[in-house]
Amino acid sequence: MERSQERNGGEGVAGREPGGEGLRLRREIGLWSAVSLMAGCMIGSGVFMSPQGVLVYMGSPGASLMVWAGCGLLAMMGALCYAELSALVPKSGGEYAYILQIFGSLPAFLVIYTFVLLVRPAAIAAVSLSFAEYAVTPFYPGCSSMPQAVLKGVAASCILLLTLVNCWSSRLATMLVNVCAVAKVFSLLVIVVGGAVVLGQGRGHTETFLLAFHNTTQQAGRIGMAFYQGMWSFDGWNNVNYVVEELKNPKQNLVWAVMIAIPLVTSLYLLVNISYLLVLSPNEILSSDAMAVSWGVPCIFQVVLGAWAWLVPLAVVLSTFGSANGMFFGGSRVCYVAAREGHMPQLLSMVHVHHLTPTPALMFTTAVALVLVIPGSFSTIVNFLSFLGWITYGTTIGCLLYLRIKKKNLPRPYKVPTIIPVIMLLASLYLVLAPIIDHPQIEFLYIFLFLLSGIPVYFLFVYFHCQPRCLQMATLYLQLLLEVAPTTKNVD
């Protein structure tokens, strides 16, 4: 795991350096592609599957809507904090890059260790399984459960197809993000319009809003679990930070992407959930795992689109497919940056000499995601991924507060009010501790032990540079086989 040699180059240079010494990723992501990437990653399977979980934990429709609004606010505040960090540390990699620069090597390694081996591959596997459920359901009408072999086969096919797209061209991957983002917004708008139509016809469950806060939970742990479910639907608010080195004019476009994408998604989510509550009773929502393919929502589509109602389930499939693609696009870059810094095998820091895509990192992410598809299911991983996520978010926000205290004079092109990172840090502490204290589960201990297992791995392979001869030979042969070469950083 040798640290790749770092060379400085000009801003916005794509492909090879002028001297021909190395390769770098192209800056091909403009403002609207950044908005599409951020919104596209957030609008995935969550809004079609998480409303049930939020309602289960909160107990009332009104409190559920407040959680959805709170999740949007948290995502907005977190993204604004990350935008300031990105201006101070203009590197791809998101949380990993910021923690490495500010808190040092070991904390950053623990972040990348859990991210590469568990968090991002598990998220890709979960969204791919959700894609498979929506894609397969029309072929098994009336079946309460689909064959698991079929579901997992379709999910694996989705992962492999996205690997091919992302390995072939970053531009093709961003075009797919843009197309899928349109499909996502279309499907949500039809649900919103459908709810308005049902309300206008006097057939809506308006009584739900008369007793909106009846039976609301008072337990801190259940509120935290409800936020876990809701924040899963906002997962991706930090995805553009993973690809800053491929973003055109990052200091300006990142902030604008945040200001456009997150309010848009939050508004759509609130309107969609109100539409759900108008068309479906709370009991019907609690009985539905996939909101867009069961109980009353297809009826909305029939009312609004008539014979063209099949377009919306198709849009939902594209939505989950696009979300998985965005996770691939951003997640592989984190793996790539970590390898470039010496925290992952050197091979993963290389890019294809012709396509200029991080092919080894993409293939590694694919392999781990395929392994996790075999035993996994969507419902079993959301809470525990969120638990790990909020540990990382809290640590990253701590980086910003540390810089505010210790390095006040650093030039900041963009700065958020100090109260925002303070609120985010307190929210992170609450969302990590409340579920453990109020509703302890053995799985939380397993996740904590997995995190700690990264410490001996760090000292063995990173600190003491234990590099078996066979690993060095494998790197050489795979470099030739995959046609990849070391890279340089894009710097401003």
Side-chain angles (χ1 to χ4, degrees), residues 157-181:
S157 300
C158 170
I159 291 172
L160 292 172
L161 178 58
L162 288 174
T163 303
L164 180 62
V165 169
N166 281 269
C167 286
W168 185 260
S169 168
S170 294
R171 180 171 297 175
L172 181 60
T174 54
M175 287 175 60
L176 182 59
V177 166
N178 295 340
V179 171
C180 291

mmCIF file with all atom_site columns, all heavy atoms in Angstrom, residues 157-181:
data_model
loop_
_atom_site.group_PDB
_atom_site.id
_atom_site.type_symbol
_atom_site.label_atom_id
_atom_site.label_alt_id
_atom_site.label_comp_id
_atom_site.label_asym_id
_atom_site.label_entity_id
_atom_site.label_seq_id
_atom_site.pdbx_PDB_ins_code
_atom_site.Cartn_x
_atom_site.Cartn_y
_atom_site.Cartn_z
_atom_site.occupancy
_atom_site.B_iso_or_equiv
_atom_site.pdbx_formal_charge
_atom_site.auth_seq_id
_atom_site.auth_comp_id
_atom_site.auth_asym_id
_atom_site.auth_atom_id
_atom_site.pdbx_PDB_model_num
ATOM 1   N N   . SER A 1 157 ? -27.542 -8.608  -11.584 1.00 0.00 ? 157 SER A N   1
ATOM 2   C CA  . SER A 1 157 ? -27.458 -8.117  -12.959 1.00 0.00 ? 157 SER A CA  1
ATOM 3   C C   . SER A 1 157 ? -27.421 -6.593  -12.995 1.00 0.00 ? 157 SER A C   1
ATOM 4   O O   . SER A 1 157 ? -26.685 -5.987  -13.787 1.00 0.00 ? 157 SER A O   1
ATOM 5   C CB  . SER A 1 157 ? -28.644 -8.630  -13.781 1.00 0.00 ? 157 SER A CB  1
ATOM 6   O OG  . SER A 1 157 ? -28.660 -10.040 -13.820 1.00 0.00 ? 157 SER A OG  1
ATOM 7   N N   . CYS A 1 158 ? -28.216 -5.963  -12.130 1.00 0.00 ? 158 CYS A N   1
ATOM 8   C CA  . CYS A 1 158 ? -28.214 -4.494  -12.019 1.00 0.00 ? 158 CYS A CA  1
ATOM 9   C C   . CYS A 1 158 ? -26.827 -3.989  -11.634 1.00 0.00 ? 158 CYS A C   1
ATOM 10  O O   . CYS A 1 158 ? -26.306 -3.042  -12.249 1.00 0.00 ? 158 CYS A O   1
ATOM 11  C CB  . CYS A 1 158 ? -29.254 -4.064  -10.981 1.00 0.00 ? 158 CYS A CB  1
ATOM 12  S SG  . CYS A 1 158 ? -29.185 -2.319  -10.502 1.00 0.00 ? 158 CYS A SG  1
ATOM 13  N N   . ILE A 1 159 ? -26.203 -4.624  -10.647 1.00 0.00 ? 159 ILE A N   1
ATOM 14  C CA  . ILE A 1 159 ? -24.875 -4.210  -10.191 1.00 0.00 ? 159 ILE A CA  1
ATOM 15  C C   . ILE A 1 159 ? -23.844 -4.361  -11.307 1.00 0.00 ? 159 ILE A C   1
ATOM 16  O O   . ILE A 1 159 ? -23.020 -3.464  -11.551 1.00 0.00 ? 159 ILE A O   1
ATOM 17  C CB  . ILE A 1 159 ? -24.473 -5.033  -8.951  1.00 0.00 ? 159 ILE A CB  1
ATOM 18  C CG1 . ILE A 1 159 ? -25.350 -4.635  -7.753  1.00 0.00 ? 159 ILE A CG1 1
ATOM 19  C CG2 . ILE A 1 159 ? -22.998 -4.817  -8.610  1.00 0.00 ? 159 ILE A CG2 1
ATOM 20  C CD1 . ILE A 1 159 ? -25.163 -5.525  -6.544  1.00 0.00 ? 159 ILE A CD1 1
ATOM 21  N N   . LEU A 1 160 ? -23.878 -5.476  -12.018 1.00 0.00 ? 160 LEU A N   1
ATOM 22  C CA  . LEU A 1 160 ? -22.908 -5.724  -13.083 1.00 0.00 ? 160 LEU A CA  1
ATOM 23  C C   . LEU A 1 160 ? -23.074 -4.742  -14.245 1.00 0.00 ? 160 LEU A C   1
ATOM 24  O O   . LEU A 1 160 ? -22.087 -4.267  -14.820 1.00 0.00 ? 160 LEU A O   1
ATOM 25  C CB  . LEU A 1 160 ? -23.028 -7.166  -13.575 1.00 0.00 ? 160 LEU A CB  1
ATOM 26  C CG  . LEU A 1 160 ? -22.590 -8.245  -12.565 1.00 0.00 ? 160 LEU A CG  1
ATOM 27  C CD1 . LEU A 1 160 ? -22.948 -9.638  -13.091 1.00 0.00 ? 160 LEU A CD1 1
ATOM 28  C CD2 . LEU A 1 160 ? -21.096 -8.146  -12.297 1.00 0.00 ? 160 LEU A CD2 1
ATOM 29  N N   . LEU A 1 161 ? -24.332 -4.438  -14.586 1.00 0.00 ? 161 LEU A N   1
ATOM 30  C CA  . LEU A 1 161 ? -24.585 -3.483  -15.664 1.00 0.00 ? 161 LEU A CA  1
ATOM 31  C C   . LEU A 1 161 ? -24.061 -2.099  -15.301 1.00 0.00 ? 161 LEU A C   1
ATOM 32  O O   . LEU A 1 161 ? -23.431 -1.405  -16.128 1.00 0.00 ? 161 LEU A O   1
ATOM 33  C CB  . LEU A 1 161 ? -26.079 -3.425  -15.966 1.00 0.00 ? 161 LEU A CB  1
ATOM 34  C CG  . LEU A 1 161 ? -26.522 -2.424  -17.051 1.00 0.00 ? 161 LEU A CG  1
ATOM 35  C CD1 . LEU A 1 161 ? -25.817 -2.722  -18.374 1.00 0.00 ? 161 LEU A CD1 1
ATOM 36  C CD2 . LEU A 1 161 ? -28.037 -2.451  -17.227 1.00 0.00 ? 161 LEU A CD2 1
ATOM 37  N N   . LEU A 1 162 ? -24.289 -1.678  -14.058 1.00 0.00 ? 162 LEU A N   1
ATOM 38  C CA  . LEU A 1 162 ? -23.805 -0.368  -13.625 1.00 0.00 ? 162 LEU A CA  1
ATOM 39  C C   . LEU A 1 162 ? -22.286 -0.330  -13.576 1.00 0.00 ? 162 LEU A C   1
ATOM 40  O O   . LEU A 1 162 ? -21.673 0.714   -13.849 1.00 0.00 ? 162 LEU A O   1
ATOM 41  C CB  . LEU A 1 162 ? -24.395 -0.029  -12.250 1.00 0.00 ? 162 LEU A CB  1
ATOM 42  C CG  . LEU A 1 162 ? -25.889 0.303   -12.256 1.00 0.00 ? 162 LEU A CG  1
ATOM 43  C CD1 . LEU A 1 162 ? -26.405 0.472   -10.832 1.00 0.00 ? 162 LEU A CD1 1
ATOM 44  C CD2 . LEU A 1 162 ? -26.157 1.563   -13.065 1.00 0.00 ? 162 LEU A CD2 1
ATOM 45  N N   . THR A 1 163 ? -21.670 -1.444  -13.237 1.00 0.00 ? 163 THR A N   1
ATOM 46  C CA  . THR A 1 163 ? -20.203 -1.512  -13.264 1.00 0.00 ? 163 THR A CA  1
ATOM 47  C C   . THR A 1 163 ? -19.687 -1.264  -14.673 1.00 0.00 ? 163 THR A C   1
ATOM 48  O O   . THR A 1 163 ? -18.738 -0.492  -14.883 1.00 0.00 ? 163 THR A O   1
ATOM 49  C CB  . THR A 1 163 ? -19.727 -2.891  -12.781 1.00 0.00 ? 163 THR A CB  1
ATOM 50  O OG1 . THR A 1 163 ? -20.236 -3.134  -11.468 1.00 0.00 ? 163 THR A OG1 1
ATOM 51  C CG2 . THR A 1 163 ? -18.210 -2.956  -12.748 1.00 0.00 ? 163 THR A CG2 1
ATOM 52  N N   . LEU A 1 164 ? -20.317 -1.907  -15.644 1.00 0.00 ? 164 LEU A N   1
ATOM 53  C CA  . LEU A 1 164 ? -19.910 -1.742  -17.037 1.00 0.00 ? 164 LEU A CA  1
ATOM 54  C C   . LEU A 1 164 ? -20.041 -0.287  -17.477 1.00 0.00 ? 164 LEU A C   1
ATOM 55  O O   . LEU A 1 164 ? -19.127 0.275   -18.101 1.00 0.00 ? 164 LEU A O   1
ATOM 56  C CB  . LEU A 1 164 ? -20.755 -2.645  -17.930 1.00 0.00 ? 164 LEU A CB  1
ATOM 57  C CG  . LEU A 1 164 ? -20.457 -2.596  -19.438 1.00 0.00 ? 164 LEU A CG  1
ATOM 58  C CD1 . LEU A 1 164 ? -19.028 -3.045  -19.705 1.00 0.00 ? 164 LEU A CD1 1
ATOM 59  C CD2 . LEU A 1 164 ? -21.448 -3.469  -20.202 1.00 0.00 ? 164 LEU A CD2 1
ATOM 60  N N   . VAL A 1 165 ? -21.159 0.347   -17.145 1.00 0.00 ? 165 VAL A N   1
ATOM 61  C CA  . VAL A 1 165 ? -21.394 1.737   -17.537 1.00 0.00 ? 165 VAL A CA  1
ATOM 62  C C   . VAL A 1 165 ? -20.343 2.658   -16.921 1.00 0.00 ? 165 VAL A C   1
ATOM 63  O O   . VAL A 1 165 ? -19.745 3.499   -17.599 1.00 0.00 ? 165 VAL A O   1
ATOM 64  C CB  . VAL A 1 165 ? -22.810 2.179   -17.130 1.00 0.00 ? 165 VAL A CB  1
ATOM 65  C CG1 . VAL A 1 165 ? -22.972 3.694   -17.285 1.00 0.00 ? 165 VAL A CG1 1
ATOM 66  C CG2 . VAL A 1 165 ? -23.857 1.455   -17.948 1.00 0.00 ? 165 VAL A CG2 1
ATOM 67  N N   . ASN A 1 166 ? -20.098 2.491   -15.610 1.00 0.00 ? 166 ASN A N   1
ATOM 68  C CA  . ASN A 1 166 ? -19.172 3.386   -14.920 1.00 0.00 ? 166 ASN A CA  1
ATOM 69  C C   . ASN A 1 166 ? -17.718 3.151   -15.320 1.00 0.00 ? 166 ASN A C   1
ATOM 70  O O   . ASN A 1 166 ? -16.914 4.075   -15.292 1.00 0.00 ? 166 ASN A O   1
ATOM 71  C CB  . ASN A 1 166 ? -19.332 3.233   -13.408 1.00 0.00 ? 166 ASN A CB  1
ATOM 72  C CG  . ASN A 1 166 ? -20.529 3.988   -12.872 1.00 0.00 ? 166 ASN A CG  1
ATOM 73  O OD1 . ASN A 1 166 ? -20.417 5.139   -12.491 1.00 0.00 ? 166 ASN A OD1 1
ATOM 74  N ND2 . ASN A 1 166 ? -21.695 3.347   -12.854 1.00 0.00 ? 166 ASN A ND2 1
ATOM 75  N N   . CYS A 1 167 ? -17.386 1.914   -15.673 1.00 0.00 ? 167 CYS A N   1
ATOM 76  C CA  . CYS A 1 167 ? -16.024 1.630   -16.148 1.00 0.00 ? 167 CYS A CA  1
ATOM 77  C C   . CYS A 1 167 ? -15.801 2.180   -17.555 1.00 0.00 ? 167 CYS A C   1
ATOM 78  O O   . CYS A 1 167 ? -14.688 2.573   -17.905 1.00 0.00 ? 167 CYS A O   1
ATOM 79  C CB  . CYS A 1 167 ? -15.759 0.123   -16.137 1.00 0.00 ? 167 CYS A CB  1
ATOM 80  S SG  . CYS A 1 167 ? -15.507 -0.582  -14.503 1.00 0.00 ? 167 CYS A SG  1
ATOM 81  N N   . TRP A 1 168 ? -16.841 2.216   -18.361 1.00 0.00 ? 168 TRP A N   1
ATOM 82  C CA  . TRP A 1 168 ? -16.689 2.643   -19.748 1.00 0.00 ? 168 TRP A CA  1
ATOM 83  C C   . TRP A 1 168 ? -16.497 4.148   -19.871 1.00 0.00 ? 168 TRP A C   1
ATOM 84  O O   . TRP A 1 168 ? -15.621 4.614   -20.593 1.00 0.00 ? 168 TRP A O   1
ATOM 85  C CB  . TRP A 1 168 ? -17.909 2.194   -20.551 1.00 0.00 ? 168 TRP A CB  1
ATOM 86  C CG  . TRP A 1 168 ? -17.780 2.486   -22.020 1.00 0.00 ? 168 TRP A CG  1
ATOM 87  C CD1 . TRP A 1 168 ? -18.326 3.520   -22.731 1.00 0.00 ? 168 TRP A CD1 1
ATOM 88  C CD2 . TRP A 1 168 ? -17.003 1.737   -22.957 1.00 0.00 ? 168 TRP A CD2 1
ATOM 89  N NE1 . TRP A 1 168 ? -17.962 3.467   -24.039 1.00 0.00 ? 168 TRP A NE1 1
ATOM 90  C CE2 . TRP A 1 168 ? -17.140 2.371   -24.222 1.00 0.00 ? 168 TRP A CE2 1
ATOM 91  C CE3 . TRP A 1 168 ? -16.221 0.586   -22.860 1.00 0.00 ? 168 TRP A CE3 1
ATOM 92  C CZ2 . TRP A 1 168 ? -16.512 1.893   -25.366 1.00 0.00 ? 168 TRP A CZ2 1
ATOM 93  C CZ3 . TRP A 1 168 ? -15.596 0.107   -24.000 1.00 0.00 ? 168 TRP A CZ3 1
ATOM 94  C CH2 . TRP A 1 168 ? -15.753 0.758   -25.238 1.00 0.00 ? 168 TRP A CH2 1
ATOM 95  N N   . SER A 1 169 ? -17.306 4.933   -19.137 1.00 0.00 ? 169 SER A N   1
ATOM 96  C CA  . SER A 1 169 ? -17.231 6.383   -19.317 1.00 0.00 ? 169 SER A CA  1
ATOM 97  C C   . SER A 1 169 ? -17.884 7.114   -18.154 1.00 0.00 ? 169 SER A C   1
ATOM 98  O O   . SER A 1 169 ? -19.030 6.819   -17.801 1.00 0.00 ? 169 SER A O   1
ATOM 99  C CB  . SER A 1 169 ? -17.918 6.785   -20.629 1.00 0.00 ? 169 SER A CB  1
ATOM 100 O OG  . SER A 1 169 ? -18.099 8.178   -20.712 1.00 0.00 ? 169 SER A OG  1
ATOM 101 N N   . SER A 1 170 ? -17.170 8.064   -17.572 1.00 0.00 ? 170 SER A N   1
ATOM 102 C CA  . SER A 1 170 ? -17.763 8.918   -16.534 1.00 0.00 ? 170 SER A CA  1
ATOM 103 C C   . SER A 1 170 ? -18.880 9.774   -17.113 1.00 0.00 ? 170 SER A C   1
ATOM 104 O O   . SER A 1 170 ? -19.892 10.029  -16.460 1.00 0.00 ? 170 SER A O   1
ATOM 105 C CB  . SER A 1 170 ? -16.690 9.812   -15.909 1.00 0.00 ? 170 SER A CB  1
ATOM 106 O OG  . SER A 1 170 ? -15.737 9.052   -15.207 1.00 0.00 ? 170 SER A OG  1
ATOM 107 N N   . ARG A 1 171 ? -18.688 10.215  -18.360 1.00 0.00 ? 171 ARG A N   1
ATOM 108 C CA  . ARG A 1 171 ? -19.721 11.035  -19.003 1.00 0.00 ? 171 ARG A CA  1
ATOM 109 C C   . ARG A 1 171 ? -21.000 10.227  -19.204 1.00 0.00 ? 171 ARG A C   1
ATOM 110 O O   . ARG A 1 171 ? -22.102 10.728  -18.979 1.00 0.00 ? 171 ARG A O   1
ATOM 111 C CB  . ARG A 1 171 ? -19.210 11.568  -20.339 1.00 0.00 ? 171 ARG A CB  1
ATOM 112 C CG  . ARG A 1 171 ? -20.214 12.444  -21.079 1.00 0.00 ? 171 ARG A CG  1
ATOM 113 C CD  . ARG A 1 171 ? -19.582 13.114  -22.278 1.00 0.00 ? 171 ARG A CD  1
ATOM 114 N NE  . ARG A 1 171 ? -18.516 14.027  -21.880 1.00 0.00 ? 171 ARG A NE  1
ATOM 115 C CZ  . ARG A 1 171 ? -17.741 14.672  -22.737 1.00 0.00 ? 171 ARG A CZ  1
ATOM 116 N NH1 . ARG A 1 171 ? -17.888 14.492  -24.036 1.00 0.00 ? 171 ARG A NH1 1
ATOM 117 N NH2 . ARG A 1 171 ? -16.799 15.497  -22.300 1.00 0.00 ? 171 ARG A NH2 1
ATOM 118 N N   . LEU A 1 172 ? -20.873 8.962   -19.614 1.00 0.00 ? 172 LEU A N   1
ATOM 119 C CA  . LEU A 1 172 ? -22.046 8.100   -19.785 1.00 0.00 ? 172 LEU A CA  1
ATOM 120 C C   . LEU A 1 172 ? -22.745 7.880   -18.456 1.00 0.00 ? 172 LEU A C   1
ATOM 121 O O   . LEU A 1 172 ? -23.983 7.888   -18.378 1.00 0.00 ? 172 LEU A O   1
ATOM 122 C CB  . LEU A 1 172 ? -21.624 6.765   -20.399 1.00 0.00 ? 172 LEU A CB  1
ATOM 123 C CG  . LEU A 1 172 ? -22.734 5.739   -20.664 1.00 0.00 ? 172 LEU A CG  1
ATOM 124 C CD1 . LEU A 1 172 ? -23.771 6.306   -21.630 1.00 0.00 ? 172 LEU A CD1 1
ATOM 125 C CD2 . LEU A 1 172 ? -22.137 4.438   -21.202 1.00 0.00 ? 172 LEU A CD2 1
ATOM 126 N N   . ALA A 1 173 ? -21.958 7.703   -17.391 1.00 0.00 ? 173 ALA A N   1
ATOM 127 C CA  . ALA A 1 173 ? -22.545 7.507   -16.062 1.00 0.00 ? 173 ALA A CA  1
ATOM 128 C C   . ALA A 1 173 ? -23.316 8.745   -15.612 1.00 0.00 ? 173 ALA A C   1
ATOM 129 O O   . ALA A 1 173 ? -24.418 8.631   -15.047 1.00 0.00 ? 173 ALA A O   1
ATOM 130 C CB  . ALA A 1 173 ? -21.454 7.162   -15.052 1.00 0.00 ? 173 ALA A CB  1
ATOM 131 N N   . THR A 1 174 ? -22.762 9.949   -15.863 1.00 0.00 ? 174 THR A N   1
ATOM 132 C CA  . THR A 1 174 ? -23.469 11.172  -15.467 1.00 0.00 ? 174 THR A CA  1
ATOM 133 C C   . THR A 1 174 ? -24.708 11.397  -16.333 1.00 0.00 ? 174 THR A C   1
ATOM 134 O O   . THR A 1 174 ? -25.719 11.916  -15.848 1.00 0.00 ? 174 THR A O   1
ATOM 135 C CB  . THR A 1 174 ? -22.547 12.389  -15.553 1.00 0.00 ? 174 THR A CB  1
ATOM 136 O OG1 . THR A 1 174 ? -21.972 12.473  -16.863 1.00 0.00 ? 174 THR A OG1 1
ATOM 137 C CG2 . THR A 1 174 ? -21.434 12.294  -14.525 1.00 0.00 ? 174 THR A CG2 1
ATOM 138 N N   . MET A 1 175 ? -24.644 11.003  -17.611 1.00 0.00 ? 175 MET A N   1
ATOM 139 C CA  . MET A 1 175 ? -25.840 11.094  -18.459 1.00 0.00 ? 175 MET A CA  1
ATOM 140 C C   . MET A 1 175 ? -26.941 10.183  -17.924 1.00 0.00 ? 175 MET A C   1
ATOM 141 O O   . MET A 1 175 ? -28.126 10.566  -17.899 1.00 0.00 ? 175 MET A O   1
ATOM 142 C CB  . MET A 1 175 ? -25.493 10.710  -19.894 1.00 0.00 ? 175 MET A CB  1
ATOM 143 C CG  . MET A 1 175 ? -24.685 11.759  -20.658 1.00 0.00 ? 175 MET A CG  1
ATOM 144 S SD  . MET A 1 175 ? -24.188 11.186  -22.296 1.00 0.00 ? 175 MET A SD  1
ATOM 145 C CE  . MET A 1 175 ? -25.787 10.867  -23.037 1.00 0.00 ? 175 MET A CE  1
ATOM 146 N N   . LEU A 1 176 ? -26.564 8.982   -17.475 1.00 0.00 ? 176 LEU A N   1
ATOM 147 C CA  . LEU A 1 176 ? -27.541 8.067   -16.886 1.00 0.00 ? 176 LEU A CA  1
ATOM 148 C C   . LEU A 1 176 ? -28.139 8.656   -15.614 1.00 0.00 ? 176 LEU A C   1
ATOM 149 O O   . LEU A 1 176 ? -29.346 8.525   -15.363 1.00 0.00 ? 176 LEU A O   1
ATOM 150 C CB  . LEU A 1 176 ? -26.875 6.721   -16.596 1.00 0.00 ? 176 LEU A CB  1
ATOM 151 C CG  . LEU A 1 176 ? -27.773 5.619   -16.016 1.00 0.00 ? 176 LEU A CG  1
ATOM 152 C CD1 . LEU A 1 176 ? -28.926 5.303   -16.962 1.00 0.00 ? 176 LEU A CD1 1
ATOM 153 C CD2 . LEU A 1 176 ? -26.949 4.359   -15.732 1.00 0.00 ? 176 LEU A CD2 1
ATOM 154 N N   . VAL A 1 177 ? -27.295 9.325   -14.823 1.00 0.00 ? 177 VAL A N   1
ATOM 155 C CA  . VAL A 1 177 ? -27.791 10.010  -13.622 1.00 0.00 ? 177 VAL A CA  1
ATOM 156 C C   . VAL A 1 177 ? -28.848 11.038  -13.992 1.00 0.00 ? 177 VAL A C   1
ATOM 157 O O   . VAL A 1 177 ? -29.912 11.128  -13.364 1.00 0.00 ? 177 VAL A O   1
ATOM 158 C CB  . VAL A 1 177 ? -26.617 10.681  -12.870 1.00 0.00 ? 177 VAL A CB  1
ATOM 159 C CG1 . VAL A 1 177 ? -27.145 11.675  -11.833 1.00 0.00 ? 177 VAL A CG1 1
ATOM 160 C CG2 . VAL A 1 177 ? -25.752 9.639   -12.178 1.00 0.00 ? 177 VAL A CG2 1
ATOM 161 N N   . ASN A 1 178 ? -28.576 11.836  -15.034 1.00 0.00 ? 178 ASN A N   1
ATOM 162 C CA  . ASN A 1 178 ? -29.517 12.880  -15.446 1.00 0.00 ? 178 ASN A CA  1
ATOM 163 C C   . ASN A 1 178 ? -30.843 12.293  -15.934 1.00 0.00 ? 178 ASN A C   1
ATOM 164 O O   . ASN A 1 178 ? -31.920 12.781  -15.586 1.00 0.00 ? 178 ASN A O   1
ATOM 165 C CB  . ASN A 1 178 ? -28.892 13.738  -16.548 1.00 0.00 ? 178 ASN A CB  1
ATOM 166 C CG  . ASN A 1 178 ? -27.689 14.528  -16.072 1.00 0.00 ? 178 ASN A CG  1
ATOM 167 O OD1 . ASN A 1 178 ? -27.511 14.741  -14.873 1.00 0.00 ? 178 ASN A OD1 1
ATOM 168 N ND2 . ASN A 1 178 ? -26.846 14.956  -16.995 1.00 0.00 ? 178 ASN A ND2 1
ATOM 169 N N   . VAL A 1 179 ? -30.765 11.243  -16.759 1.00 0.00 ? 179 VAL A N   1
ATOM 170 C CA  . VAL A 1 179 ? -31.988 10.621  -17.287 1.00 0.00 ? 179 VAL A CA  1
ATOM 171 C C   . VAL A 1 179 ? -32.824 10.029  -16.153 1.00 0.00 ? 179 VAL A C   1
ATOM 172 O O   . VAL A 1 179 ? -34.052 10.220  -16.094 1.00 0.00 ? 179 VAL A O   1
ATOM 173 C CB  . VAL A 1 179 ? -31.628 9.530   -18.317 1.00 0.00 ? 179 VAL A CB  1
ATOM 174 C CG1 . VAL A 1 179 ? -32.864 8.720   -18.709 1.00 0.00 ? 179 VAL A CG1 1
ATOM 175 C CG2 . VAL A 1 179 ? -31.007 10.166  -19.562 1.00 0.00 ? 179 VAL A CG2 1
ATOM 176 N N   . CYS A 1 180 ? -32.164 9.319   -15.252 1.00 0.00 ? 180 CYS A N   1
ATOM 177 C CA  . CYS A 1 180 ? -32.894 8.701   -14.145 1.00 0.00 ? 180 CYS A CA  1
ATOM 178 C C   . CYS A 1 180 ? -33.472 9.741   -13.196 1.00 0.00 ? 180 CYS A C   1
ATOM 179 O O   . CYS A 1 180 ? -34.539 9.536   -12.605 1.00 0.00 ? 180 CYS A O   1
ATOM 180 C CB  . CYS A 1 180 ? -31.991 7.738   -13.390 1.00 0.00 ? 180 CYS A CB  1
ATOM 181 S SG  . CYS A 1 180 ? -31.556 6.252   -14.318 1.00 0.00 ? 180 CYS A SG  1
ATOM 182 N N   . ALA A 1 181 ? -32.771 10.881  -13.043 1.00 0.00 ? 181 ALA A N   1
ATOM 183 C CA  . ALA A 1 181 ? -33.292 11.938  -12.173 1.00 0.00 ? 181 ALA A CA  1
ATOM 184 C C   . ALA A 1 181 ? -34.619 12.467  -12.706 1.00 0.00 ? 181 ALA A C   1
ATOM 185 O O   . ALA A 1 181 ? -35.550 12.749  -11.927 1.00 0.00 ? 181 ALA A O   1
ATOM 186 C CB  . ALA A 1 181 ? -32.276 13.073  -12.054 1.00 0.00 ? 181 ALA A CB  1
#
